[in-house]
């Protein structure tokens, strides 16, 4: 038999603690590059936004006069601000629900054991690799009143000549559709991974016990993927609140500000009207709304989430 | 419920998984499917459950053909290796989960859950979540879910593989007792031959997608029909030697040398025709001594002594042939040389054809074996 040598432990394998550098010294150097980048591009702008929101600013964007909460009073008495708030809330609700439902459906289809499922997996996930700008251009073509596939399709269905992007409701639907399409790839990929990690045994037991596939989905699949669903809802809602590119490229906030969302209004006030103080105050309001929305989700939705 | 499998085959694409499986499992039998990984035993279980379809062949429950019946219409219960307990449901809810098909009243369901939990000694833990239980307790819950259905047929797919050795031994006994009490037909899949031997009333040994042999544990042990069953059943496994039989001289030539460097011979006890064979000898039939006592003893060098306390498994070697002697006593761990005495009874020498691996038996071998203590 092999006998274990129990005395062969080297006596001085590690240097004594006194000779080592303090742990934080090397940690500091490793963290420094990202600290610099974060400071320049995130922390400093954050602080400056709060600062600017309390000032009237001149055309160069520099703080000119302290106005306290004056900017906030101004934006909350601006009907356009409320309109963009309402638009944003409608969009966030439709977009995040739409993205998650579509992604769930696609992920469920892609886990079916059929020939060619691999192709669809790649196809469904591929919207993740398309930039919002490129995707917006693509959708502008689709909605084009004379050559767009969607417009032609609607005409064939008997809706006549519709210019979706100049119709108030149509423009909102167009923005929502294109955003759902853009967001579905990321959500799909996450849900696919979650679905594939649900053990087949659960479904075997369920089918022996006579559970319908609908019941299996609600009682097994949804609870098992609930951590992923919760993560996606939080991320999608935050992302939807910040939607900008599609608006800027597809509708420009129009027609008649029906697709003007807060993030877009911040941009307009800051760079079109050169009113940095007002824009900063709006940005702060948006941040607070996102924070509250996220807090509500953690407070009320997370309780239904099952973590393994 | 009696189960009949007729000419079951299964292919996954071009890959064969099962080849012509025909078997009858009796009502109330504890029937074990045993074989190495990939032998197809779990596939048989899943086909019986209806979770996957067979490529061809039929399944009968009693005399009813169920080949195409949906899983829920087969009225059976199944226990999985990973227990398949839903993590967000309590123990009681997990057991109730299996009762859905039976359309019981809530009161009846509660009674079934309580009874099942009592049978597996977990009544106190009904409201716990699976992750708050130990592996053994989770395994009991999985068993409770199966017995709560009161199905006449219960399938178990390696239910004890995830437990540690001691717990596994305990659960083996409990499952056997549970089967005695409930008398359902139980089909049990395992890769562990010890589990098969200790639990099964009858065992089907599978290898290479085919049935190798079906029989009681002792039939398999004493009369292996081929070299695979001979080496698969029994631990430590049967020693195999390539030997030459001389029927006229009544000798077996071993692939070893005696003390004078000549080929080692042992007497041939029964009527086997001359030729080359695989000779199988159980390790416990190989006797080991420090001094030579007979002209047929073979000198060996001791390679390794595994002391179990009550017995020793001694690995020995002669002419590059290494084999195991399982002796029922403590063997000196520092011994370098010893002498092996091979058995002379026909029942202890298992001959297999070198090409097919099939057993070559003599009348004397059959007659010489008694099942257990005669």
């Amino acid at each position: 038999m092999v006998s274990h040598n129990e005395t062969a432990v080297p006596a001085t394998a590690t240097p004594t603690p006194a000779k080592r550098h303090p742990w934080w010294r090397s940690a500091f150097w490793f963290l420094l590059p990202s600290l610099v980048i974060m400071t320049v591009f995130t922390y400093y702008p954050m602080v400056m936004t709060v600062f600017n929101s309390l000032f009237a600013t001149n055309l160069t964007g520099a703080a000119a006069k302290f106005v306290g909460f004056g900017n906030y009073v101004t934006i909350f008495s601006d009907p356009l601000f409320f309109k963009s708030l309402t638009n944003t809330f409608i969009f966030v609700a439709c977009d995040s629900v739409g993205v998650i439902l579509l992604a769930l459906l696609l992920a469920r289809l892609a886990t079916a054991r059929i020939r060619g499922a691999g192709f669809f997996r790649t196809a469904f996930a591929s919207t993740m690799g398309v930039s919002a700008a490129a995707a917006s251009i693509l959708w502008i073509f689709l909605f084009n009143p004379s050559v767009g596939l969607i417009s032609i399709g609607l005409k064939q269905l008997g809706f006549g000549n519709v210019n979706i992007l100049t119709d108030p409701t149509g423009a909102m639907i167009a923005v929502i559709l294109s955003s759902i399409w853009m967001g579905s790839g990321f959500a799909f990929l996450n849900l696919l991974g979650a679905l594939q990690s649900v053990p087949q045994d659960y479904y075997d037991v369920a089918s022996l016990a006579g559970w319908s596939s609908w019941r299996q989905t609600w009682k097994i699949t949804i609870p098992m993927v609930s951590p992923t669903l919760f993560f996606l809802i939080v991320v999608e809602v935050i992302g939807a609140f910040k939607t900008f590119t599609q608006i800027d490229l597809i509708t420009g906030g129009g027609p008649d500000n029906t697709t003007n969302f807060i993030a877009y209004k911040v941009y307009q006030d800051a760079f079109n009207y050169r009113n940095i103080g007002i824009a900063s105050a709006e940005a702060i309001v948006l941040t607070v709304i996102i924070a509250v929305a996220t807090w509500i989700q953690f407070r009320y939705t997370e309780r239904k989430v099952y973590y393994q | 419920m009696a189960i009949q499998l007729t000419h079951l085959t299964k292919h996954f694409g071009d890959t064969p998984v099962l080849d012509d499986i025909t078997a009858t499992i009796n009502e109330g039998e504890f029937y074990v499917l045993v074989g190495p990984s990939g032998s197809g035993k779990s596939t048989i279980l899943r086909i019986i459950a209806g979770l996957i379809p067979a490529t061809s062949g039929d399944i009968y429950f009693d005399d009813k053909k169920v080949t195409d019946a949906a899983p829920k219409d087969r009225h059976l219960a199944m226990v999985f290796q990973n227990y398949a307990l839903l993590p967000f449901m309590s123990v009681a809810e997990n057991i109730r989960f299996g009762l859905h098909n039976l359309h019981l009243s809530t009161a009846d369901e509660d009674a079934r859950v309580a009874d099942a939990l009592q049978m597996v000694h977990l009544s106190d833990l009904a409201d716990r979540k699976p992750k708050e239980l130990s592996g053994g307790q989770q395994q009991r819950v999985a068993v409770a879910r199966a017995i709560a259905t009161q199905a006449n047929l219960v399938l178990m797919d390696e239910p004890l593989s995830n437990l540690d050795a001691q717990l596994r031994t305990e659960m083996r006994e409990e499952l056997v007792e549970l089967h005695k009490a409930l008398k359902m037909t139980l089909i049990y899949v395992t890769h562990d031959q010890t589990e098969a031997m200790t639990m099964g009333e009858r065992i089907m040994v599978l290898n290479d997608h085919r049935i190798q042999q079906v029989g009681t544990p002792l039939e398999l042990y004493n009369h292996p029909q081929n070299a695979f069953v001979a080496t698969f059943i029994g631990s430590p496994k049967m020693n195999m030697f390539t030997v030459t039989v001389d029927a006229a001289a009544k000798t077996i030539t071993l692939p070893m040398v005696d003390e004078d460097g000549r080929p080692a011979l042992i007497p041939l006890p029964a009527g086997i025709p001359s030729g080359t064979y695989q000779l199988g000898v159980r390790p416990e039939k190989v006797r080991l001594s420090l001094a030579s006592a007979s002209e047929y003893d073979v000198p060996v060098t001791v390679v390794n002594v595994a002391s179990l306390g009550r017995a020793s498994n001694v690995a020995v070697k002669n002419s590059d042939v290494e084999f195991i002697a399982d002796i029922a006593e403590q063997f000196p761990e520092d011994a370098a040389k010893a002498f092996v005495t091979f058995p002379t009874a026909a029942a202890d020498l298992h001959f297999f054809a070198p090409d097919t691996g099939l057993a070559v038996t003599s009348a004397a071998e059959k007659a010489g074996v008694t099942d257990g203590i005669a």
Side-chain angles (χ1 to χ4, degrees), chain B residues 230-302:
Chain B
T231 50
F232 188 75
I233 299 289
S235 174
K237 67 183 198 172
M238 189 186 268
N239 297 306
M240 282 289 189
F241 310 103
T242 307
V243 300
T244 330
V245 165
D246 185 337
K250 284 193 174 286
T251 57
I252 305 168
T253 310
L254 296 168
M256 305 175 199
V257 293
D258 65 13
E259 275 192 292
D260 304 324
R262 290 172 308 196
L265 299 178
I266 56 171
L268 175 70
I272 299 273
S274 295
T276 307
Y277 296 95
Q278 288 291 111
L279 172 65
V281 181
R282 295 264 174 223
E284 72 270 22
K285 299 294 183 185
V286 176
R287 291 219 316 273
L288 204 58
S289 45
L290 294 172
S292 179
S294 135
E295 57 175 316
Y296 294 119
D297 284 357
V298 177
V300 290
T301 54
V302 176

Side-chain angles (χ1 to χ4, degrees), chain A residues 1, chain B residues 305-313 326-331 333:
Chain A
M1 296 280 327
Chain B
V305 181
S307 296
L308 305 172
R310 60 169 176 77
S312 315
N313 292 335
D326 180 1
I327 57 171
E329 60 198 46
Q330 296 182 357
F331 190 80
E333 292 193 3

